[in-house]
Amino acid sequence: MDEYIGLDVSLKETAVSIRRDGKRVWRGKCPSDPQLLAALIRKHAPAPKRVVFETGPLSVWFFHALAAEGVPAICIDARHAKAALDMATNKTDANDADGLAHLAEVGFYKEVRVKSFDSMLTRTLVAARTRLVRIGTELSNQIRGLMKTFGLVVPAVTGSKFEHHVHALLADNIDLGQIIRPLLEAWHAVRLRAAELGRKLLADARRNAACQLLMSIPGVGVVTATSFVSAIEEPANFKHSRSVGAFVGLTTRRYQSGEIDYDGHISRRGDSHLRGLLYEAATVLLTRSRSECDLRKWGLQLRERLGFKRATVAVARKLAVIMHSMLITGEPFREKSVAA
């Protein structure tokens, strides 16, 4: 008979539950190591049909490592599983594993596509660079704020000019300089490391034909194009281009019950970083781009009727749809739509 297994994964230990023919036949715990888990599964479940675990920080590693061991691993949406797991009276790891095994047995789950290690490596590069840029901004703001207390106002400049002005203002204040200069050295080091990652990101994008294609869109730069390609991976993962808007969380939520039926704010589900980048690209297209493309004209018309924020969200959603279509067709962005 087929066995159905639920794994409640945590950082140190993983709770395991095995069901067969509608009954639990074994449960226990194992260190959170895919090889040890695979050996345990082979020992207690000779014919595993499904091995189910939720999305989480270790899900990418677990999925690929278990698949390499020949285990039929399935990663499911944690939000979808939560509704079923909350039915248990007591919240424990063992009960969660039982619930996941039961979901695997009845097939009541929503499978999640797990990204490849190459895509995760690209996403890690983008995330690391973004974090360093933000840290540098926080440090520069902290330096400005501390110096204002003593009447030393740094002009609104960036880069090497910022560093030059800080040194000039601290020339006559030795005591304050002993406090600010370590922060300035940290800011300088972070800025250098962010520039290194930025150069690597740019070099990778230049070698990637998909990124070069997407960067033909006004407002879409290296970071947005790279993040979009790594999030989508294969265009065939989406049957329809319009589904990408929902995947990124840029479509409206609907609530209907009895006489009540209305559309709310956007769902904000999916990749929040990519959603922010698409919103930023839409903002650039509407405010700073000199392009007279149909997408910009459409967005400006929406702005007159709905306001800037709603129009920008709509343009961001349409950008996601257009970018996916471009990856499928391989055609560059067209400034004007072709008349039917």
Side-chain angles (χ1 to χ4, degrees), residues 151-189:
L152 304 177
V153 179
V154 182
V157 293
T158 58
S160 58
K161 292 183 179 180
F162 169 78
E163 188 174 10
H164 173 75
H165 282 289
V166 171
H167 281 301
L169 291 172
L170 294 175
D172 298 329
N173 198 324
I174 299 176
D175 294 336
L176 182 61
Q178 293 176 348
I179 300 173
I180 299 298
R181 284 195 176 90
L183 289 176
L184 190 61
E185 291 173 2
W187 170 84
H188 184 75

Side-chain angles (χ1 to χ4, degrees), residues 29-274:
K29 288 190 175 183
C30 178
S32 292
D33 186 310
Q35 292 183 346
L36 296 178
L37 282 169
L40 184 146
I41 290 171
R42 286 191 289 265
K43 177 181 178 181
H44 295 282
K49 180 70 174 179
R50 301 188 190 106
V51 178
V52 168
F53 56 93
E54 300 173 272
T55 53
L58 304 179
S59 58
V60 175
W61 171 45
F62 260 63
F63 177 83
H64 292 294
L66 289 175
E69 294 287 337
V71 176
I74 298 175
C75 185
I76 68 174
D77 188 357
R79 290 188 298 266
H80 187 266
K82 184 178 184 299
L85 298 180
D86 284 346
M87 297 296 293
T89 304
N90 298 316
K91 173 70 172 70
T92 64
D93 292 343
N95 286 345
D96 286 348
D98 285 341
L100 292 172
H102 186 67
L103 292 178
E105 186 174 25
V106 300
F108 185 69
Y109 57 81
K110 182 178 181 181
E111 187 174 356
V112 174
R113 174 176 57 86
V114 180
K115 292 180 174 59
S116 65
F117 280 124
D118 289 339
S119 294
M120 291 305 300
L121 190 64
T122 302
R123 291 166 63 86
T124 301
L125 173 60
V126 174
R129 177 193 170 275
T130 301
R131 175 54 58 187
L132 288 177
V133 170
R134 290 178 179 174
I135 291 174
T137 302
E138 292 173 359
L139 284 172
S140 64
N141 290 339
Q142 184 71 21
I143 291 171
R144 292 177 187 274
L146 293 174
M147 293 180 66
K148 283 180 183 179
T149 306
F150 300 91
L152 304 177
V153 179
V154 182
V157 293
T158 58
S160 58
K161 292 183 179 180
F162 169 78
E163 188 174 10
H164 173 75
H165 282 289
V166 171
H167 281 301
L169 291 172
L170 294 175
D172 298 329
N173 198 324
I174 299 176
D175 294 336
L176 182 61
Q178 293 176 348
I179 300 173
I180 299 298
R181 284 195 176 90
L183 289 176
L184 190 61
E185 291 173 2
W187 170 84
H188 184 75
V190 167
R191 188 165 173 265
L192 289 177
R193 298 297 176 264
E196 290 176 4
L197 294 183
R199 287 191 292 270
K200 176 173 174 51
L201 187 62
L202 180 60
D204 292 345
R206 286 174 174 170
R207 291 192 296 266
N208 191 309
C211 291
Q212 291 295 309
L213 182 67
L214 296 181
M215 288 168 61
S216 65
I217 304 175
V220 175
V222 174
V223 177
T224 304
T226 303
S227 299
F228 189 87
V229 171
S230 63
I232 299 300
E233 292 188 297
E234 292 295 332
N237 290 329
F238 296 87
K239 188 176 181 180
H240 303 287
S241 294
R242 62 177 179 270
S243 301
V244 181
F247 170 74
V248 186
L250 288 170
T251 53
T252 56
R253 293 175 296 178
R254 186 186 179 193
Y255 180 86
Q256 189 277 324
S257 178
E259 302 297 326
I260 303 174
D261 188 357
Y262 66 87
D263 293 328
H265 299 288
I266 59 173
S267 65
R268 298 178 186 267
R269 295 291 178 88
D271 191 338
S272 59
H273 184 243
L274 178 58

Side-chain angles (χ1 to χ4, degrees), residues 322-337:
I322 292 173
M323 292 166 76
H324 180 262
S325 298
M326 290 171 59
L327 292 179
I328 293 178
T329 62
E331 297 179 2
F333 181 74
R334 291 195 298 263
E335 294 282 335
K336 304 291 182 180
S337 60

